[in-house]
Amino acid sequence: MPFENGATATVQLTTRSSTPLLSRPRRVDEFVRVIPGVDLSRGSITFVVDGRLERHWHHEPRLITQALTKAVQPARWFPATRKLTLTVAATGHRAGVERHFILSAF
């Protein structure tokens, strides 16, 4: 399965289900495009990665929601570093400005 940054990953399917399993951990610079769902009352951030639902926590979920409303590119999740990167519109920056959020385990 090729990624947009040129990296590849081998995917295996288990015999009991069609759940994909990665045969190796991701590199630090590999990312997955995600659509995050934000729960403002609990601070939880939820999205799907490789067919599995992942749930994380951030102490300022409103900052993530504000960045999502101004996003000009899809959100990118870096699993190795647990970093969610959002590119938001900004005056004087044609390509936008990246906002980084480090998420904790929920």
Side-chain angles (χ1 to χ4, degrees):
M1 164 187 339
F3 293 96
E4 291 193 12
N5 58 4
T8 59
T10 305
V11 176
Q12 299 175 350
L13 297 178
T14 62
T15 55
R16 293 186 183 166
S17 69
S18 61
T19 304
L21 298 174
L22 287 177
S23 60
R24 64 169 179 77
R26 295 185 195 273
R27 293 188 333 238
V28 174
D29 63 341
E30 289 181 341
F31 65 87
V32 179
R33 290 181 187 235
V34 295
I35 301 174
V38 181
D39 183 339
L40 293 174
S41 62
R42 293 184 181 167
S44 67
I45 315 300
T46 309
F47 44 81
V48 176
V49 175
D50 296 330
R52 288 181 287 222
L53 189 66
E54 290 199 15
R55 193 167 162 192
H56 300 276
W57 181 83
H58 192 267
H59 66 284
E60 289 285 347
R62 291 190 193 284
L63 295 178
I64 295 175
T65 304
Q66 289 170 357
L68 282 169
T69 62
K70 297 178 183 178
V72 294
Q73 291 182 2
R76 292 176 292 158
W77 171 245
F78 294 83
T81 57
R82 293 196 314 214
K83 178 173 66 174
L84 181 66
T85 299
L86 302 171
T87 305
V88 299
T91 305
H93 299 277
R94 179 170 244 178
V97 175
E98 289 186 349
R99 300 279 316 268
H100 304 283
F101 301 93
I102 304 299
L103 304 182
S104 302
F106 193 75

